[in-house]
Amino acid sequence: MTLTLSSLDWLHLLGHFLSLSLLAIGGAITTAPDMHRYLVEQQHWLTDSQFTSSIALSQAAPGPNLLFIALLGWNVGINASGGLAAGASAWPLGFMGAAIAMLGILLPSTTLTFVAARWAHNNRELLSVRAFKAGMSPIVIALLASTGWILSSKLGSAAESWRLWLLTAVVTLLVWRTRIHLLWLLAAGGLLGALGWV
């Protein structure tokens, strides 16, 4: 994929991630549906495959899952420089895209979290604080379910991708009914993918 991005487009990317940062209740992954809408469906800066691969790679890698945002920005930059065919000359725009995306997603939420967490800790016994925390739980669950739907809907029909759907069902049961560490499940999924079984 090759894009032509102006300075205004980069500012829009920064502005979009700045606004999403303030909506990232429950973590940045909960804003993935809107990132998909903006980057893939509206702007056409990423393909579906690049979007889902960025999330899958960051979830499988050690470290914070926030890294998928850097990968999304990286892929936008790589696409803006002519795609992977441009080789190492595409890296500067890739790094710039990653930096813009990370700056946008981190700056507002980090600042707000620092200020709000101190205030909430000092006022944790107030009914309004406890009600706010309790009320946010279903919202976070709904946002996570939405993210799961966006990612799984790209798998195709159950008949076409029955192995992936079966693996998803098995992993869901294992997470729900056992205490197997998620890293083991991620490693097993990666191994099955590397072997071409899913």
Side-chain angles (χ1 to χ4, degrees):
M1 173 183 275
T2 302
L3 303 173
T4 302
L5 296 184
S6 66
S7 299
L8 189 60
D9 290 327
W10 288 111
L11 283 175
H12 282 165
L13 180 67
L14 176 63
H16 193 75
F17 278 98
L18 284 170
S19 63
L20 285 181
S21 177
L22 294 173
L23 301 174
I25 299 165
I29 194 70
T30 60
T31 60
D34 193 72
M35 290 179 194
H36 181 272
R37 180 197 59 77
Y38 180 73
L39 296 172
V40 178
E41 297 173 5
Q42 181 180 328
Q43 300 292 352
H44 305 289
W45 289 344
L46 295 178
T47 64
D48 265 326
S49 175
Q50 288 176 320
F51 187 86
T52 54
S53 297
S54 296
I55 293 180
L57 182 60
S58 69
Q59 298 302 304
N65 65 5
L66 183 71
L67 292 177
F68 81 93
I69 294 171
L71 286 175
L72 293 176
W74 167 268
N75 282 322
V76 170
I78 293 294
N79 289 342
S81 61
L84 292 174
S89 64
W91 290 12
L93 278 183
F95 282 119
M96 186 176 85
I100 287 173
M102 290 302 286
L103 177 68
I105 205 70
L106 287 176
L107 186 61
S109 61
T110 303
T111 305
L112 181 63
T113 299
F114 178 74
V115 174
R118 291 185 66 179
W119 182 87
H121 180 73
N122 292 334
N123 298 284
R124 58 187 176 276
E125 299 304 325
L126 291 177
L127 178 62
S128 58
V129 172
R130 288 186 284 144
F132 178 80
K133 289 181 178 178
M136 293 310 295
S137 297
I139 293 173
V140 171
I141 291 170
L143 289 171
L144 288 172
S146 176
T147 300
W149 177 257
I150 289 286
L151 296 176
S152 63
S153 65
K154 305 305 175 194
L155 297 177
S157 69
E160 294 171 353
S161 307
W162 64 271
R163 291 179 180 160
L164 283 172
W165 287 104
L166 177 62
L167 178 63
T168 302
V170 169
V171 169
T172 301
L173 285 174
L174 289 174
V175 169
W176 180 32
R177 305 299 292 178
T178 71
R179 294 181 178 268
I180 297 175
H181 198 282
L182 292 179
L183 290 179
W184 289 112
L185 298 174
L186 286 171
L191 179 63
L192 292 174
L195 294 173
W197 292 355
V198 291

